[in-house]
Tab-separated table of all heavy atoms in Angstrom:
chain	number	residue	atom	x	y	z
A	836	PRO	N	-9.627	5.664	12.136
A	836	PRO	CA	-9.318	5.131	13.467
A	836	PRO	C	-9.284	6.235	14.515
A	836	PRO	O	-8.911	7.376	14.223
A	836	PRO	CB	-7.940	4.496	13.297
A	836	PRO	CG	-7.345	5.199	12.125
A	836	PRO	CD	-8.497	5.591	11.236
A	837	THR	N	-9.698	5.883	15.701
A	837	THR	CA	-9.623	6.821	16.817
A	837	THR	C	-8.190	6.807	17.336
A	837	THR	O	-7.678	5.742	17.682
A	837	THR	CB	-10.587	6.396	17.944
A	837	THR	OG1	-11.902	6.341	17.404
A	837	THR	CG2	-10.530	7.364	19.108
A	838	PRO	N	-7.539	7.960	17.362
A	838	PRO	CA	-6.165	7.995	17.885
A	838	PRO	C	-6.132	7.539	19.340
A	838	PRO	O	-7.087	7.755	20.092
A	838	PRO	CB	-5.757	9.458	17.769
A	838	PRO	CG	-6.757	10.078	16.868
A	838	PRO	CD	-8.009	9.261	16.947
A	839	CYS	N	-5.052	6.902	19.700
A	839	CYS	CA	-4.882	6.464	21.080
A	839	CYS	C	-4.999	7.665	22.003
A	839	CYS	O	-4.452	8.733	21.740
A	839	CYS	CB	-3.506	5.808	21.240
A	839	CYS	SG	-3.167	5.272	22.917
A	840	CYS	N	-5.733	7.506	23.072
A	840	CYS	CA	-5.887	8.567	24.082
A	840	CYS	C	-6.579	9.807	23.511
A	840	CYS	O	-6.332	10.928	23.952
A	840	CYS	CB	-4.543	8.947	24.693
A	840	CYS	SG	-3.641	7.531	25.355
A	841	ALA	N	-7.478	9.621	22.545
A	841	ALA	CA	-8.148	10.752	21.897
A	841	ALA	C	-8.992	11.564	22.865
A	841	ALA	O	-9.252	12.733	22.644
A	841	ALA	CB	-9.013	10.262	20.738
A	842	ASP	N	-9.436	10.922	23.949
A	842	ASP	CA	-10.318	11.640	24.871
A	842	ASP	C	-9.564	12.271	26.035
A	842	ASP	O	-10.174	12.759	26.971
A	842	ASP	CB	-11.401	10.690	25.385
A	842	ASP	CG	-10.836	9.509	26.149
A	842	ASP	OD1	-9.622	9.209	25.990
A	842	ASP	OD2	-11.594	8.867	26.890
A	843	HIS	N	-8.259	12.331	25.989
A	843	HIS	CA	-7.481	12.900	27.091
A	843	HIS	C	-7.111	14.324	26.815
A	843	HIS	O	-6.882	14.750	25.752
A	843	HIS	CB	-6.202	12.093	27.329
A	843	HIS	CG	-6.503	10.700	27.795
A	843	HIS	ND1	-6.025	10.194	28.948
A	843	HIS	CD2	-7.255	9.720	27.259
A	843	HIS	CE1	-6.436	8.940	29.099
A	843	HIS	NE2	-7.176	8.663	28.085
Side-chain angles (χ1 to χ4, degrees):
T837 302
C839 178
C840 306
D842 61 341
H843 295 237

